[in-house]
């Protein structure tokens, strides 16, 4: 590759707007979304509006492969970017844009998100009650042992009222899986986890599908939160 690039005199243009490919992205508790990209053309600078996949943002900081803060990254340079408003997928194309183009794109995405019907969450129940279109609450219950699951499911079913019917559409032992999230998405349900947590893949899918996962270690906490939500 090095021999051919030298013989063919292959070069990238460092003066145009930056383009590249996403290598990976992750959510860092201290820094927010961290996106690792490979700049393939142009130069990426701090402050540039950026777009990768369906996510946009503005470059807040750049870090090289040694974790050192830098002000810009040119062609063939791998770089970590802070400032994305979400985590793009590995392989997504990356572009630095004109400021007004990025803002228009972001505005369109927000409007589209508002028009899309959101899945039910405990926080959303009060709003739906206020406008009078909430009659059923579907729940998926996962726990560490059968006894706990049965006790929690029975207690939740007893919270049903004339206005709101609670349905336990699935219950089982084990961690919260991708299958549980897909079922919650299809049935507009909330996932209740008792002494269990979602798998990494299930958590990512839940974020993408906007599924509400509630985790508890005390049965009464789960009952009280569901009851409070049903009361608006």
């Amino acid at each position: 590759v090095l021999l051919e690039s030298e013989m063919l005199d292959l070069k990238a243009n460092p003066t145009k707007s930056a383009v590249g490919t996403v290598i990976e992205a992750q959510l860092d508790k201290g820094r927010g979304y961290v996106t690792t990209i490979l700049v393939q053309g142009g130069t990426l600078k701090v402050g540039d509006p950026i777009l990768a996949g369906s996510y946009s943002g503005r470059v807040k900081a750049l870090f090289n492969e040694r974790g050192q803060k830098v002000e810009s990254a040119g062609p063939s340079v791998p770089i970590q970017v802070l400032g994305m408003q979400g985590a793009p997928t590995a392989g997504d194309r990356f572009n630095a844009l004109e400021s007004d183009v990025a803002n228009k794109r972001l505005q369109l995405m927000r409007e589209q998100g508002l028009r899309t019907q959101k899945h039910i969450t405990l926080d959303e129940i009060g709003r739906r009650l206020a406008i009078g279109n909430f009659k059923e609450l579907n729940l998926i219950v996962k726990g560490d042992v059968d006894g706990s699951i049965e006790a929690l499911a029975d207690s939740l079913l007893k919270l049903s009222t004339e206005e709101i019917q609670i349905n336990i559409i699935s219950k089982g032992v084990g961690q919260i899986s991708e299958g549980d999230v897909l079922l919650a998405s299809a049935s507009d349900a909330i996932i209740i986890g008792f002494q269990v947590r979602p798998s990494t893949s299930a958590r990512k899918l839940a974020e993408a599908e906007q599924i509400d996962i509630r985790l508890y270690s005390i049965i009464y906490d789960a009952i009280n939160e569901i009851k409070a939500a049903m009361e608006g």
Side-chain angles (χ1 to χ4, degrees):
V1 172
L2 293 174
L3 177 61
E4 285 199 358
S5 64
E6 184 176 350
M7 295 296 293
L8 295 172
D9 196 27
L10 300 179
K11 295 180 180 179
N13 180 3
T15 61
K16 68 177 185 177
S17 296
V19 295
T21 302
V22 175
I23 299 173
E24 65 175 3
Q26 61 185 0
L27 179 60
D28 185 288
K29 288 184 179 179
R31 300 189 294 173
Y33 288 102
V34 180
T35 307
T36 303
I37 67 159
L38 176 64
V39 179
Q40 294 171 298
T43 299
L44 183 66
K45 301 180 290 296
V46 173
D48 284 349
I50 48 180
L51 176 67
S54 59
Y55 296 101
S56 61
R58 185 178 292 273
V59 178
K60 293 181 179 178
L62 296 170
F63 295 90
N64 64 18
E65 70 278 6
R66 297 182 181 85
Q68 298 168 333
K69 202 169 185 178
V70 296
E71 293 300 314
S72 64
S76 299
V77 174
I79 199 79
Q80 282 191 330
V81 180
L82 303 188
M84 294 296 293
Q85 296 181 340
T89 304
D92 281 348
R93 292 294 294 166
F94 177 95
N95 293 275
L97 302 175
E98 300 269 340
S99 181
D100 57 339
V101 174
N103 290 334
K104 287 179 182 177
R105 168 94 180 204
L106 183 57
Q107 183 179 354
L108 287 172
M109 288 173 60
R110 284 174 175 167
E111 290 174 355
Q112 186 178 13
L114 290 173
R115 287 194 296 267
T116 303
Q117 183 178 2
K118 293 182 179 179
H119 290 294
I120 188 66
T121 66
L122 285 189
D123 299 328
E124 176 79 359
I125 290 175
R127 189 189 69 81
R128 293 199 188 182
L129 282 172
I131 60 179
N133 67 347
F134 188 75
K135 303 295 181 185
E136 289 186 327
L137 175 58
N138 295 328
L139 299 175
I140 294 172
V141 180
K142 297 298 290 284
D144 55 345
V145 293
D146 274 322
S148 299
I149 295 169
E150 292 299 329
L152 179 56
D154 289 344
S155 298
L156 293 173
L157 285 172
K158 290 177 183 177
L159 294 177
S160 294
T161 64
E162 292 182 3
E163 293 79 21
I164 303 175
Q165 174 66 41
I166 289 183
N167 302 315
I168 307 294
I169 62 174
S170 175
K171 55 185 177 181
V173 174
Q175 71 175 170
I176 299 164
S177 66
E178 287 182 88
D180 297 319
V181 176
L182 291 172
L183 179 58
S185 179
S187 56
D188 198 20
I190 294 172
I191 299 176
I192 304 295
F194 182 74
Q195 300 281 23
V196 294
R197 305 189 69 81
S199 65
T200 302
S201 56
R203 186 182 296 277
K204 289 181 179 178
L205 183 60
E207 290 176 0
E209 295 289 328
Q210 296 185 337
I211 298 300
D212 193 8
I213 298 179
R214 298 285 173 146
L215 306 176
Y216 301 96
S217 56
I218 300 173
I219 287 180
Y220 296 110
D221 287 344
I223 295 169
N224 290 336
E225 277 202 17
I226 300 293
K227 186 177 180 181
M230 291 172 61
E231 293 172 351

